[in-house]
Amino acid sequence: MADLPAPGVPARGWRLPRLQRLIASRGFQSWAARFPLTRRRVRREGEALFDLVAGFCHSQVLMALVQLDLPQSLLAGPKRLADLSRATAVPEARLLVLLQAAAALGLVRQGRRGAWGLTHRGAALAGVPGLQEMIRHHDLLYRDLGDPAAFFRGETVPELAGFWPYVFGGAVPPERAETYSRLMADSQHLVAEDTLATLNFRGISHLMDVGGGTGAFLATVGQAWSGMDLTLFDLPQVVPAARARFAAGGLSERVTIAEGSFRTGALPRGADAISLVRVLYDHEESTVAALLARCFEALPPGGRLIISEPMSGGRKPERAGDAYFAIYTLAMGTGKARSAAEIGALCRAAGFRRVRAPKPRRAFVTSCLEARKPG
């Protein structure tokens, strides 16, 4: 018998439908689970399939941990079940079920003396900037996916579309701007780190970050490149928080803040590089095309365009871009997770050349693309 193909890869000598019918048959599954050369693989595939089936429960375990502030509580040190029960107002028997589930997911563990503490993965959950806020924010996405078939048919009105009103060009109340700016800024530090590690910023004398929110990305770049002039361009509502951030980082003298919307007018000139960080995937094609054209106009000959955001894997779908961000943007009601090839084509249509997309450092954090204005 020929070796079975790797997942997603057709085997040579097999007609794919025939192979799939064979794998789907109960008799073959029973045989493969016993046969020495296949049983280990069958077990791995079975576990992976069950993880997909149980994924909703896993996500709710994660949500409960965060809502009960257990990661932060355990970051201070291991605690006994009774103490955690009192702190969370969750009965011990029910809390034990949650902790056992979290242990199965590799987030917590019980010590020899019975106290519960974090694993390395759990400590990362507690410490990664913005991760717990994003998990709390997922309650909107969970509700939007309550009827997934209707959602994918386009028969629902997702709540996420109302959480991010700026993507439709509407007015943004100051309190809402503060909420989503904080949500985005918390994760921007990781995005900035990976962008700086993936692309070489050498030779840039003046960087303008368009749609940069409260300036988290620009502040990180400014700390890494001390001789670089910086400009932040975004809506007036985020300016006060941006000024406070730059002042706290000692960057006020180097940063110019320009208020405006890239949807309604030309971008300021003077920068020899423009960055778009988690901007394009929020918007539909026409908005993206218009923004890239404005970037092209604002840059001098030889100017550089830097794009950093979650991307689809295109012909090779990947988990972060295609099984999370693509669905998230679909719920937003506009935008999409585009592949590097799609974004590159949009850049070329705007006039850019020398488009390149290096292999991402961590695709679940961000992917990067760079393009040049001829000259």
Side-chain angles (χ1 to χ4, degrees):
M1 177 179 173
D3 290 340
L4 294 179
V9 179
R12 294 180 181 178
W14 283 86
R15 298 182 66 181
L16 188 57
R18 179 186 172 192
L19 175 60
Q20 291 174 339
R21 286 195 297 270
L22 177 63
I23 292 174
S25 69
R26 185 69 190 95
F28 175 81
Q29 293 170 11
S30 297
W31 173 84
R34 298 190 306 270
F35 187 60
L37 297 182
T38 58
R39 62 190 179 193
R40 183 176 298 177
R41 179 173 179 179
V42 168
R43 184 166 57 249
R44 288 198 308 267
E45 288 297 309
E47 289 171 351
L49 184 59
F50 185 79
D51 277 345
L52 292 176
V53 173
F56 174 77
C57 287
H58 298 173
S59 67
Q60 298 308 306
V61 167
L62 186 63
M63 175 68 85
L65 289 175
V66 171
Q67 288 180 335
L68 295 169
D69 288 324
L70 285 169
Q72 294 305 122
S73 177
L74 294 177
L75 191 60
K79 291 180 173 59
R80 300 187 67 83
L81 178 64
D83 296 329
L84 292 172
S85 176
R86 283 192 295 271
T88 60
V90 178
E92 286 190 31
R94 301 182 75 87
L95 183 59
L96 181 59
V97 173
L98 174 61
L99 290 171
Q100 290 279 81
L105 298 177
L107 296 169
V108 301
R109 63 186 172 198
Q110 188 175 25
R112 293 181 180 179
R113 297 183 180 181
W116 288 89
L118 295 174
T119 62
H120 295 325
R121 184 181 300 171
L125 169 63
V128 172
L131 184 54
Q132 292 185 75
E133 279 302 311
M134 179 57 73
I135 293 168
R136 289 189 178 93
H137 170 68
H138 280 161
D139 62 347
L140 293 177
L141 186 58
Y142 293 155
R143 291 197 292 272
D144 287 342
L145 292 173
D147 185 343
F151 170 80
F152 282 106
R153 290 191 188 107
E155 298 170 351
T156 63
V157 182
E159 291 185 52
L160 273 176
F163 185 83
W164 306 100
Y166 72 91
V167 299
F168 299 100
V172 184
E175 63 277 6
R176 177 60 58 83
E178 180 182 355
T179 300
Y180 72 67
S181 292
R182 183 175 62 251
L183 189 62
M184 292 300 294
D186 285 341
S187 63
Q188 288 291 63
H189 300 289
L190 291 177
V191 174
E193 288 176 4
D194 278 23
T195 304
L196 288 166
T198 304
L199 300 177
N200 189 350
F201 281 56
R202 190 177 304 278
I204 298 176
S205 62
H206 186 169
L207 174 67
M208 177 167 64
D209 192 29
V210 174
T214 60
F217 176 82
L218 205 59
T220 304
V221 174
Q223 297 292 348
W225 293 88
S226 58
M228 190 183 297
D229 292 329
L230 307 167
T231 295
L232 176 71
F233 181 84
D234 209 330
L235 299 170
Q237 293 92 323
V238 303
V239 168
R243 292 192 191 281
R245 181 186 300 279
F246 295 136
L251 295 169
S252 297
E253 297 299 318
R254 293 171 52 197
V255 178
T256 300
I257 298 179
E259 302 178 15
S261 169
F262 59 71
R263 301 174 67 102
T264 57
L267 300 177
R269 295 176 181 264
D272 59 345
I274 291 176
S275 55
L276 301 172
V277 181
R278 291 193 167 188
V279 171
L280 300 187
Y281 77 149
D282 280 347
H283 300 282
E284 61 185 4
E285 282 328 80
S286 61
T287 303
V288 170
L291 171 56
L292 293 175
R294 291 187 174 105
C295 290
F296 186 85
E297 293 170 0
L299 285 169
R304 194 184 313 184
L305 176 67
I306 293 168
I307 296 170
S308 180
E309 67 180 43
M311 297 182 191
S312 162
R315 293 177 63 87
K316 296 181 179 180
E318 56 90 25
R319 290 188 178 188
D322 293 285
Y324 176 75
F325 286 105
I327 295 171
Y328 190 98
T329 55
L330 195 62
M332 285 175 59
T334 182
K336 60 180 289 190
R338 299 174 178 86
S339 68
E342 290 177 291
I343 296 173
L346 288 165
C347 290
R348 292 186 184 93
F352 289 99
R353 297 294 180 266
R354 294 169 60 186
V355 178
R356 69 184 193 94
K359 183 178 179 180
R361 186 186 187 194
R362 294 176 291 186
F364 60 89
V365 173
T366 196
S367 296
C368 299
L369 182 144
E370 183 181 67
R372 300 271 187 161
K373 181 173 179 176

